[in-house]
Structure formats: structure tokens, C-alpha cells
Amino acid sequence: MSSEKSLAIVLRLVEFSETSVIATLFTEDFGKISALAKGARRPKGPFEAALDLLAVCRIVFLHKSSDALDLLTEAKLERRFRAATRSLSHLYAGYYVAELLQNLTDDGDPHPQLFQAANQTLIELDNACDVATTVLRFEMIALHEVGHLPSFDRCVGCGDELPAEGRIAFGQLAGGVLCRECRAGQRQVVSVSAEVIQAFRCFADPDDAWRRKELNRGLRGELRGVLNHYLANLLGRKPRMHRYLGVLAE
């Protein structure tokens, strides 16, 4: 067994015994891991109450080479997630970030850029950010980092560039926009406005233009309808936190 160190976000905690928990952690250097934290439930345990949902910690763990759980030996708290003091929508958005990290990533598959994006998103949710735009930005980065970002500018069938004008076909199963010829025979295709595609392009772009993008209620509703359906198809089920995040479409 080798001893490893990394910065980590706590995604999930499951009681293992009277004194221990199994922690699912999204680490900066090693991706998602599951580790046994012995004594974590003791009042004066070895982790100093650092293991809290969505807390950011510096951890030390013993990496098992087999399918056995890793062993968490140290966790020092860097920052606790306190969005509940802001509003329930900020809190639920944080839980949604954890759900996406849990379900979109594989164990032991590092995504340093995704870790940094998640960390920054949690910082913003702890403050007076706009929940809808902050979450949409994170969703775009997460989909890009795991290789599932839909195509918003080129037809996924033939590769032709499509102008963002009029109504545009978006293939939920095909994974992006479709030209008129390639749309034929495709299942689960929806017609969306050019404004929706332009907004998706803006929030998927690496620069910070998304911070200046205004989304009216109608546009937010259409964006959420398309993206929620796409994520449900990708994950095989509707994300659980969607029911609590109606604010994203308001």
C-alpha cells in the first residue's frame, strides 16, 4: 500500500460502524475514491470533524491495489460548505454538484480541471451568486471534462457547422444539434430556439463571458428542459436534486 496526499471534496458519508464511516471523496489528484475512515464518528476522533458533506479537506490515505476500500488516515479541514446560511437553493445546488461528481465520474479517474471547477462553484454558492447561472456553468464544464458535452455548433451527424438562427434540432440521444438532413430517423429530437443554442455556447466557452449573459425566465425554462432531459438520458435516470432546484428555471 502506498500513502497518498491530495485536496478533496467530500461527496458522501455512509455509516460503517459505531465509530467509522465510508467516505466518497472527489480528489484533485486521484479522482473519485472511496475510503474507510476509522474512528471518524468519535467525538474526539482522528479527523477533527473535517469529514462533512461538501467540505474541502487535505487528506492522506493508503491506496489499496485491490478492489478493497482505501484507508483514510488523515483529513485536515480547509473549508466547510455553509450555503445553508445563504438560502436553501444555494444549499441544494451544492448537493447537486456532489450528485453530478458522484454520477458522472469513474473511480480513480483524475479530472483536475473538474475538481477546480467544483471547488470554485462551491465557493460561489457560499456567497451571493446567481444559482441558475452558476449551476449551468458547472454543468457545462463537467460535461466537457467527462467527454459528454453536446455539440452546439456542428451537426453531430455530418459535422457541418450550423448557424444559430431560427429553430434548431437538438438530438437528446445523438448528443447535439442536427442539420435538416441528419435529423431524419433520429429519436428523441427536440426543436429549440437559436437563443438556447447561443446560451449553451456561451456557458460552454472557456472564457468568462457567461458571467455577463442575461437569461430571462422563458430562456431559463427552455434551457433547463433541454439540459435536464439530456442529463437524464446520460445518467439513465433523472438527477434526484432536480426536484429541489426549480429556481434554475425561474
Side-chain angles (χ1 to χ4, degrees):
M1 293 185 295
S2 59
S3 179
E4 308 287 3
K5 299 179 180 180
S6 187
L7 198 61
I9 298 170
V10 181
L11 300 184
R12 190 182 182 206
L13 297 168
V14 177
E15 294 179 5
F16 181 75
S17 67
E18 290 185 1
T19 59
S20 304
V21 300
I22 295 174
T24 302
L25 306 160
F26 190 68
T27 71
E28 184 173 23
D29 302 293
F30 304 95
K32 187 174 64 182
I33 66 169
S34 294
L36 178 62
K38 295 182 178 180
R41 300 183 63 204
R42 292 175 184 156
K44 296 184 179 180
F47 302 107
E48 301 177 358
L51 296 179
D52 193 15
L53 187 59
L54 291 174
V56 178
C57 310
R58 292 200 174 273
I59 65 167
V60 179
F61 67 101
L62 296 177
H63 182 59
K64 301 288 186 71
S65 57
S66 65
D67 291 335
L69 289 169
D70 294 333
L71 182 62
L72 193 65
T73 59
E74 187 177 330
K76 297 291 186 182
L77 181 67
E78 288 279 310
R79 190 183 71 252
R80 208 174 295 280
F81 186 59
R82 301 187 181 279
T85 62
R86 177 69 58 182
S87 74
L88 278 178
S89 61
H90 285 73
L91 177 66
Y92 292 156
Y95 292 165
Y96 180 48
V97 168
E99 183 177 10
L100 289 181
L101 291 175
Q102 176 89 16
N103 294 321
L104 285 176
T105 62
D106 296 321
D107 292 343
D109 184 16
H111 289 282
Q113 296 299 321
L114 179 55
F115 176 89
Q116 293 168 20
N119 191 18
Q120 182 60 37
T121 300
L122 295 177
I123 290 172
E124 296 195 16
L125 289 172
D126 262 344
N127 293 287
C129 71
D130 179 77
V131 174
T133 54
T134 301
V135 168
L136 179 57
R137 173 62 168 179
F138 177 74
E139 289 169 315
M140 294 295 100
I141 295 176
L143 289 172
H144 176 267
E145 288 298 316
V146 300
H148 288 293
L149 182 69
S151 175
F152 299 119
D153 54 2
R154 293 186 178 275
C155 172
V156 292
C158 64
D160 285 351
E161 188 170 357
L162 298 182
E165 57 186 27
R167 302 294 297 183
I168 301 169
F170 183 90
Q172 296 283 4
L173 299 180
V177 295
L178 292 160
C179 68
R180 187 172 301 175
E181 289 74 20
C182 294
R183 174 176 181 166
Q186 294 282 351
R187 296 172 51 235
Q188 294 197 32
V189 178
V190 294
S191 176
V192 301
S193 66
E195 289 77 14
V196 164
I197 298 302
Q198 290 168 351
F200 277 135
R201 289 179 182 178
C202 177
F203 278 82
D205 195 274
D207 67 23
D208 279 345
W210 67 274
R211 295 186 182 278
R212 301 184 294 275
K213 182 71 173 178
E214 294 185 6
L215 305 176
N216 60 45
R217 185 170 184 175
L219 182 55
R220 289 189 187 200
E222 194 174 359
L223 282 165
R224 289 317 318 172
V226 174
L227 190 54
N228 287 359
H229 197 140
Y230 179 77
L231 284 166
N233 276 319
L234 183 61
L235 299 175
R237 61 173 178 80
K238 181 186 296 186
R240 288 177 298 175
M241 291 310 302
H242 276 179
R243 70 170 65 181
Y244 302 106
L245 286 170
V247 67
L248 300 183
E250 293 179 357

